[in-house]
Amino acid sequence: MKAIHKYRLEGPQTANRIKLKEGARIVRSEYLVTEKAVFIWVEEPLAVEIPSQPRLFYVVMSGEPVPEDYCYLDTALDPFGPEAYHVFEAPEEELNLSAA
């Protein structure tokens, strides 16, 4: 079985370290006006034996530079403003560096 979970991302340019089950995939991002924050929805397996692993996400504003090795996931728009928030995942190597 699997389920979709919701996670809040701090940003912009803040490292968001989230432990997700192996095989988890981001299915949506959205800027929630009531929370004034970007959230991601993640499809995750529910089996207890599947290990979790930390992953590193960043929220980046339009026009801001992003390292070449970051993986673009989705864009969340503020429906009442001009802002666009782009969600990227940092490579595993950066995750290991940020833990040190």
Side-chain angles (χ1 to χ4, degrees):
M1 298 187 74
K2 58 186 172 182
I4 294 182
H5 297 116
K6 177 176 139 184
Y7 297 93
R8 179 187 180 116
L9 297 181
E10 301 300 325
Q13 300 295 348
T14 302
N16 293 274
R17 184 187 206 89
I18 301 173
K19 277 187 95 171
L20 300 174
K21 294 269 190 167
E22 278 185 14
R25 68 182 187 98
I26 288 62
V27 295
R28 178 180 177 81
S29 73
E30 188 172 339
Y31 178 81
L32 297 182
V33 176
T34 55
E35 302 288 328
K36 295 186 175 153
V38 174
F39 287 80
I40 56 173
W41 282 260
V42 181
E43 180 185 84
E44 294 184 84
L46 292 176
V48 199
E49 66 274 5
I50 297 175
S52 293
Q53 58 189 26
R55 291 172 61 180
L56 198 57
F57 301 95
Y58 286 91
V59 175
V60 180
M61 303 295 289
S62 292
E64 293 296 317
V66 179
E68 288 287 333
D69 56 351
Y70 280 28
C71 179
Y72 170 79
L73 298 172
D74 202 6
T75 294
L77 302 173
D78 180 346
F80 299 111
E83 288 83 9
Y85 305 92
H86 310 288
V87 180
F88 287 85
E89 184 171 4
E92 193 173 329
E93 299 81 43
E94 183 171 325
L95 182 66
N96 295 334
L97 290 175
S98 69

